[in-house]
C-alpha cells in the first residue's frame, strides 16, 4: 500500500508529496545552513507521518520534545548510562512507541555516547520486532563527523559506527534513517552516501554548493541557485520525492520548538547617569543575580520503562470496544481473510519481511475500519497474523480450512520452525485433495531458494521428525508424500518436474533468536 504525505507546495502551486513507503526503503538526507529551515522541515515530516509509522528522534537541542504533547511521543532524557539507553531503545521497539531522545543536558562527548547506545539498542532488536521505524537525526554532523574533534576517539568511533549501521544496514531491520546537517563537508561520507533522497536548502560556501549540485545531478553553473533559496525552501530529488530536481516550499506545522530565532527589540530608554549608577555601583549593594531554574533530574529508568509498558493498549478497553463493534465475528473473520488475500496476491509479497507485511496488514485493516483505536493495535497480534498468513499463502479454500483434518494440520505445523510451517501446510493441502506431489522446484520456490539440495534437506528434516513420509510411486521416478498423523497422502508427482505456476510463494523467515544465517539453517537442523 502506498501512503503519500504532504510536506508543502511546489513552485507551480501543487502539493509536494513524499511516498512514505519508498522513503522507508531509500532514506533521506537534508542539508542547509543554520536558519534555512531544516528543523522546520523535519517537524513537518514527523507530524505528517505520525499516524502511519513509528518514529524515533535523536534530538541534541531538545527542540522536538513538543511532539510528546500532540502525538504522544515518549521523551527519553539522555543523561543516563549507556546500558539504560540501550535497554530503553529495545523496549521502544518492543512496544512500538514513538520516542524522542533528548540530549540537550549532555556535553558533546556524552551526546555521542548516548546516541550510539540508543541507536545500537534499536539496531539490536530481535527479528520479530523489525517493524518499520522512521529514525530522524538532527544535526547529524555531531554524531557522524567527517574528522576528529574535541571529543574522545572512543565516543567518535562508537557513534560513527552506529550512524553507519543505521544508514547502510538499518533498512533490513526496519530502520529508515533521516539525517539533517548544516554542511555536507562536516558529515562522514560513508553515512551521507547511503541516502537516495535529498532535500537541499540554502547554503553559501562554494564547496557545499558544488557537492549539493553533484548529489542532485546539476551542472556546476546551476549551483548558485542554493544561495537564492529562502527560509523553508529546498530542492528535492529522489525516488520518494521526484525523479528530477524540484523546488519545494515547506508547509506549516502544528507544534513548535522551544528555541526561536532572535527578534529585534527597542533599546531601553534610560538616562546615561542612571545606567552608570546601575552598572558601576558597589558590589555590596548589588541585588543577587537571579539563578536560572535547574534542569529537572532525569526520570528514573524503572519509571520510564513502566511508562513505556503503560503505553500499550489496555486489554479491558480493547475488549469493551470489541463488544460495541457492530460487526459479527464471522463478518470480521471474512473481512480479515479478504485483506490477507489481497496482501499475498501482490507480486512482491513473498519477498517482504513478515514484520513489514504485518505493518501493511494493520494499515489495510484501519482503512476497512477493522483496527482498534489509534495506538490500540489491530485485529490480530503478530503471532496470529503469522498463522493466518500461512493459511492464506497456502491458498486453502474456506471449506478445507474449516475441516477437522486442516485444523489438525495447523496444530501439527506449530511444532515446526516458523520458516517451515507454510511449506508443511502447502504439502498438506495437496495431500487432502490427493493432488500430485509438488516438485522440488515448486517447494524450493515457496521456501525462497533455488537450491535443490537445500529443498531436499528441508524435506529430510520434516521426514526425520515424522511429519511426512516420502515413497516412490512405480518405476517412473514419481514420488508420493504421506502424512501419518493425518491419514492422507498426495498423488504421484515428479520431484524433478517444473515449478507449478499457481503456487503462492512462502517467505523464508529465520526464527527469532537464531544465530545461524538463513542459508545454513535448514542444513544445520538436519545435521
Amino acid at each position: 500500500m502506498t501512503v503519500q504525505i504532504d510536506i508543502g507546495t511546489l513552485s507551480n502551486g501543487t502539493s509536494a508529496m513524499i511516498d512514505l513507503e519508498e522513503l522507508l526503503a531509500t532514506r533521506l538526507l537534508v542539508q542547509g545552513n543554520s536558519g534555512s529551515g531544516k528543523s522546520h522541515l523535519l517537524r513537518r515530516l514527523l507530524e505528517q507521518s505520525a499516524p502511519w509509522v513509528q518514529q524515533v528522534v535523536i534530538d541534541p537541542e531538545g527542540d522536538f520534545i513538543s511532539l510528546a504533547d500532540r502525538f504522544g511521543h515518549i521523551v527519553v532524557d539522555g543523561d543516563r548510562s549507556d546500558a539504560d539507553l540501550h535497554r530503553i531503545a529495545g523496549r521502544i521497539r518492543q512496544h512500538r512507541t514513538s520516542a524522542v531522545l533528548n540530549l540537550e543536558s549532555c556535553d558533546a562527548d556524552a551526546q555521542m555516547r548516548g546516541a550510539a547506545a540508543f541507536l545500537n539498542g534499536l539496531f539490536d532488536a530481535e527479528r520479530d520486532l523489525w517493524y518499520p521505524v522512521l529514525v530522524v537525526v538532527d544535526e547529524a554532523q555531531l554524531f557522524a563527523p567527517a574528522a576528529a574533534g574535541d571529543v574522545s576517539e572512543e565516543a567518535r568511533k562508537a557513534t560513527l559506527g552506529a550512524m553507519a549501521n543505521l544508514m547502510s544496514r538499518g533498512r533490513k531491520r526496519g530502520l529508515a534513517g533521516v539525517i539533517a546537517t548544516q554542511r555536507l563537508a562536516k558529515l562522514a561520507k560513508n553515512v551521507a552516501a547511503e541516502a537516495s533522497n535529498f532535500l537541499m536548502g540554502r547554503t553559501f560556501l562554494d564547496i557545499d554548493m558544488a557537492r549539493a549540485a553533484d548529489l542532485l545531478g546539476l551542472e556546476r553553473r546551476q549551483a548558485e541557485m542554493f544561495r537564492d533559496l529562502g527560509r523553508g525552501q529546498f530542492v528535492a530529488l529522489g525516488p520518494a520525492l521526484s525523479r528530477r530536481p524540484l523546488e519545494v516550499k515547506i508547509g506549516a506545522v502544528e507544534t513548535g520548538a522551544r528555541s526561536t530565532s532572535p527578534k529585534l527589540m527597542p533599546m531601553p530608554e534610560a538616562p546615561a547617569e542612571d545606567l552608570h549608577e546601575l552598572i558601576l555601583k558597589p558590589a555590596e549593594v548589588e541585588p543577587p543575580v537571579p539563578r536560572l531554574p535547574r534542569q529537572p533530574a532525569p526520570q528514573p529508568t524503572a519509571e520510564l520503562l513502566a511508562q513505556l509498558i503503560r503505553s500499550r493498549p489496555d486489554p479491558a478497553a480493547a475488549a469493551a470496544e470489541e463488544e460495541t463493534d457492530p460487526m459479527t465475528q464471522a463478518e470480521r473473520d471474512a473481512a480479515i481473510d479478504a485483506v490477507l488475500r489481497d496482501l499475498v496476491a501482490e507480486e512482491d509479497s513473498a519477498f517482504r519481511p513478515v514484520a513489514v507485511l504485518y505493518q501493511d496488514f494493520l494499515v489495510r485493516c484501519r482503512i476497512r475500519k477493522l483496527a482498534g483505536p489509534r495506538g490500540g493495535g489491530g485485529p490480530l497480534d503478530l503471532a496470529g497474523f503469522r498463522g493466518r498468513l500461512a493459511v492464506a499463502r497456502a491458498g486453502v479454500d474456506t471449506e478445507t480450512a474449516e475441516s477437522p483434518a486442516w485444523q489438525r494440520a495447523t496444530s501439527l505445523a506449530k511444532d515446526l520452525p516458523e520458516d517451515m510451517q507454510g511449506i508443511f501446510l502447502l504439502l498438506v493441502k495437496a495431500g487432502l485433495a490427493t493432488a500430485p506431489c509438488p516438485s522440488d522446484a515448486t517447494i524450493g520456490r515457496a521456501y525462497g531458494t533455488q537450491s535443490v539440495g537445500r529443498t531436499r534437506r528441508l524435506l529430510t528434516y520434516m521426514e526425520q521428525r515424522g511429519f511426512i513420509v516420502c515413497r516412490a510411486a512405480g518405476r517412473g521416478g514419481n514420488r508420493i508424500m504421506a502424512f501419518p498423523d493425518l491419514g492422507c497422502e498426495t498423488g504421484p508427482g515428479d520431484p524433478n518436474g517444473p515449478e507449478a505456476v499457481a503456487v503462492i510463494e512462502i517467505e523464508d523467515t529465520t526464527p527469532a533468536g537464531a544465530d545461524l544465517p538463513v542459508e545454513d539453517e535448514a542444513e544445520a537442523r538436519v545435521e
Side-chain angles (χ1 to χ4, degrees):
M1 176 183 177
T2 300
V3 176
Q4 299 280 342
I5 59 174
D6 183 1
I7 62 168
T9 56
L10 301 174
S11 56
N12 59 6
T14 60
S15 296
M17 310 299 291
I18 289 184
D19 186 331
L20 183 57
E21 189 172 13
E22 187 68 27
L23 179 64
L24 293 173
T26 53
R27 301 167 293 280
L28 172 65
L29 171 63
V30 180
Q31 187 265 344
N33 288 162
S34 178
S36 62
K38 297 188 305 301
S39 297
H40 180 83
L41 185 156
L42 296 179
R43 189 175 296 274
R44 172 76 178 191
L45 176 63
L46 289 166
E47 291 179 355
Q48 294 296 310
S49 61
W52 300 100
V53 67
Q54 181 184 357
Q55 301 171 343
V56 172
V57 185
I58 308 299
D59 187 6
E61 299 296 338
D63 285 339
F64 293 93
I65 61 176
S66 56
L67 294 172
D69 298 330
R70 175 65 178 84
F71 299 99
H73 289 56
I74 299 293
V75 178
V76 181
D77 197 300
D79 192 12
R80 301 173 184 274
S81 68
D82 294 351
D84 282 348
L85 292 174
H86 189 280
R87 182 169 60 255
I88 291 171
R91 291 286 182 88
I92 286 172
R93 294 214 72 179
Q94 177 184 355
H95 300 294
R96 299 185 62 203
T97 302
S98 295
V100 178
L101 177 62
N102 181 17
L103 299 170
E104 65 173 332
S105 61
C106 306
D107 57 29
D109 196 83
Q111 282 187 345
M112 299 183 79
R113 288 187 286 102
F118 198 79
L119 290 173
N120 287 333
L122 299 175
F123 189 84
D124 294 339
E126 296 181 358
R127 179 179 290 270
D128 286 345
L129 305 179
W130 289 0
Y131 302 104
V133 184
L134 197 66
V135 183
V136 176
V137 183
D138 195 14
E139 304 296 347
Q141 74 278 356
L142 300 178
F143 307 108
D150 296 333
V151 297
S152 66
E153 185 65 15
E154 179 183 359
R156 188 184 73 87
K157 286 183 177 180
T159 187
L160 186 58
M163 288 288 290
N165 280 338
L166 169 66
M167 296 300 290
S168 63
R169 301 171 57 200
R171 182 184 64 84
K172 295 182 179 180
R173 289 162 172 78
L175 302 176
V178 176
I179 57 176
T181 181
Q182 293 183 5
R183 292 191 58 203
L184 290 171
K186 289 184 177 181
L187 188 65
K189 291 184 179 180
N190 62 330
V191 173
E194 298 298 333
S196 300
N197 300 285
F198 306 97
L199 281 164
M200 299 298 178
R202 182 175 57 198
T203 186
F204 292 95
L205 291 180
D206 292 341
I207 185 174
D208 291 333
M209 290 191 298
R211 188 170 176 187
D214 289 340
L215 289 175
L216 298 181
L218 302 175
E219 298 180 5
R220 290 300 178 95
R221 59 184 178 84
Q222 295 177 291
E224 295 288 337
M225 65 180 295
F226 295 109
R227 286 178 176 165
D228 300 328
L229 294 175
R231 182 180 176 86
Q233 290 182 317
F234 291 82
V235 180
L237 179 69
L241 300 163
S242 171
R243 299 296 177 179
R244 57 186 179 86
L246 293 177
E247 187 174 322
V248 178
K249 175 69 175 178
I250 305 303
V253 296
E254 302 177 37
T255 60
R258 294 187 302 170
S259 60
T260 58
S261 300
K263 304 294 183 182
L264 292 175
M265 298 179 62
M267 297 293 292
E269 296 181 0
E273 295 79 5
D274 294 343
L275 293 176
H276 188 277
E277 176 67 21
L278 289 172
I279 295 173
L280 300 180
K281 62 185 176 181
E284 58 268 18
V285 297
E286 184 176 358
V289 178
R291 293 180 177 271
L292 294 176
R294 296 183 61 185
Q295 292 288 340
Q299 190 176 4
T301 301
E303 182 178 343
L304 181 60
L305 295 178
Q307 184 181 357
L308 287 172
I309 295 174
R310 288 195 300 270
S311 67
R312 300 187 69 182
D314 184 4
E321 181 180 355
E322 186 175 355
E323 292 176 359
T324 60
D325 192 343
M327 299 180 64
T328 65
Q329 186 60 40
E331 293 173 338
R332 177 175 291 274
D333 288 340
I336 292 174
D337 288 339
V339 172
L340 288 170
R341 285 195 300 270
D342 293 342
L343 190 63
V344 300
E346 294 185 354
E347 183 178 355
D348 63 340
S349 66
F351 303 100
R352 300 168 66 190
V354 173
V356 175
L357 288 175
Y358 182 58
Q359 185 75 10
D360 194 358
F361 167 76
L362 293 179
V363 173
R364 292 170 187 252
C365 288
R366 287 204 302 268
I367 293 175
R368 300 196 184 196
K369 297 184 178 180
L370 294 173
R374 182 176 176 180
L380 292 176
D381 58 12
L382 182 58
F385 172 75
R386 288 180 185 275
R388 296 284 284 270
L389 181 66
V391 174
R393 280 176 160 173
V396 179
D397 54 43
T398 304
E399 182 179 355
T400 303
E402 293 177 353
S403 65
W406 182 260
Q407 300 298 326
R408 172 63 175 161
T410 56
S411 178
L412 289 172
K414 295 179 181 179
D415 295 330
L416 283 168
E418 290 180 355
D419 59 334
M420 296 185 183
Q421 292 176 8
I423 298 295
F424 178 70
L425 294 176
L426 180 67
L427 299 175
V428 168
K429 177 192 171 185
L432 293 177
T434 320
C437 180
S439 65
D440 290 340
T442 299
I443 298 173
R445 175 67 173 174
Y447 192 66
T449 181
Q450 296 180 347
S451 171
V452 176
R454 188 178 178 207
T455 302
R456 292 176 178 173
R457 289 194 297 270
L458 167 69
L459 297 177
T460 301
Y461 175 82
M462 289 193 285
E463 188 170 14
Q464 288 177 346
R465 281 149 184 81
F467 289 91
I468 63 173
V469 175
C470 298
R471 63 183 179 87
R475 298 182 179 180
N478 289 341
R479 175 179 62 192
I480 293 177
M481 198 169 295
F483 304 90
D485 295 320
L486 301 175
C488 63
E489 63 181 23
T490 67
D494 184 4
N496 301 316
E499 175 188 333
V501 177
V503 171
I504 298 177
E505 300 164 359
I506 310 297
E507 185 183 9
D508 180 11
T509 57
T510 305
D515 295 328
L516 293 175
V518 173
E519 290 296 330
D520 298 332
E521 187 173 3
E523 183 174 4
R525 291 195 186 104
V526 175
E527 295 174 354

